[in-house]
Amino acid sequence: MIERQLPATVPNAERLKSRRGRYHIRDPYFCFYFRFLALAFEQPGLSADQIWTQIQQDVRAFIGQTAFEDLSRQWVLEQGQAGKLPFAREIVGSHWSRQVQAEVVAVSWRQRAILIGECRWGTDRVDRQVVRDLIEVKVPQVVQELPDAGAGWTTMPVSRGAV
């Protein structure tokens, strides 16, 4: 039910001893429960209508931050399994540090190749500025955090949105 996640950019040799891990509730039902329904038990004066209103206000953001990012990583994983990526990915996950966060990352340590993606959940098309920020800001920051400051690495930025 609980899992430890590491940035996909942590080299395999360092994964067991890395202190960059985050713990997450793995089960989507428990995530939903603790995000929305546990509130009813913490504040017993809330009516069902108040809880429902809160769910309606926040569920789209919740889906974007949880399910859509997971589905995007799953899509990249499946593309890799089908041989549709330009490199043989070894790990698919995300990247986070104090400087930058990337929702979707696929890494091939052998080929020194990395795919870095941005997820946007909403009704609007992905704005050009989002793509520009991904290519000009996030990709260089993530690559800088790779071994040897990213020297010799091939990058692929990907931006994906959904309605």
Side-chain angles (χ1 to χ4, degrees):
M1 288 186 17
I2 306 270
E3 70 179 342
R4 179 176 183 244
Q5 293 179 347
L6 290 169
T9 53
V10 173
N12 293 333
E14 298 174 18
R15 293 190 80 75
L16 288 176
K17 62 182 178 181
S18 176
R19 300 186 71 157
R20 295 179 59 196
R22 292 182 179 172
Y23 290 87
H24 296 270
I25 298 174
R26 186 175 185 169
D27 186 282
Y29 297 108
F30 279 118
C31 286
F32 181 86
Y33 173 84
F34 285 114
R35 172 63 181 87
F36 295 108
L37 302 179
L39 179 65
F41 295 108
E42 292 174 12
Q43 300 176 7
L46 290 177
S47 69
D49 288 338
Q50 289 172 313
I51 295 168
W52 180 245
T53 300
Q54 187 67 41
I55 291 171
Q56 288 176 316
Q57 290 173 353
D58 296 342
V59 74
R60 288 187 63 81
F62 174 76
I63 291 170
Q65 293 169 350
T66 57
F68 184 65
E69 289 181 9
D70 288 342
L71 288 172
S72 296
R73 286 186 284 271
Q74 183 65 34
W75 182 84
V76 170
L77 182 67
E78 290 173 7
Q79 296 305 301
Q81 290 170 340
K84 295 182 179 178
L85 294 180
F87 59 87
R89 56 94 191 116
E90 295 168 38
I91 187 167
V92 174
S94 56
H95 171 84
W96 61 87
S97 69
R98 291 182 180 169
Q99 290 74 32
V100 64
Q101 178 174 330
E103 291 91 4
V104 179
V105 174
V107 178
S108 171
W109 293 101
R110 287 183 208 106
Q111 295 174 290
R112 295 179 66 96
I114 186 168
L115 175 145
I116 302 168
E118 178 82 22
C119 296
R120 294 295 172 146
W121 176 260
T123 57
D124 298 331
R125 295 181 135 221
V126 175
D127 187 74
R128 286 180 186 226
Q129 188 59 43
V130 171
V131 177
R132 190 173 290 121
D133 287 344
L134 172 65
I135 294 169
E136 296 174 2
V137 179
K138 283 191 176 187
V139 169
Q141 287 178 333
V142 172
V143 170
Q144 183 66 35
E145 295 179 11
L146 292 169
D148 302 324
W153 282 77
T154 302
T155 61
M156 284 183 40
V158 177
S159 181
R160 194 156 166 87
V163 291

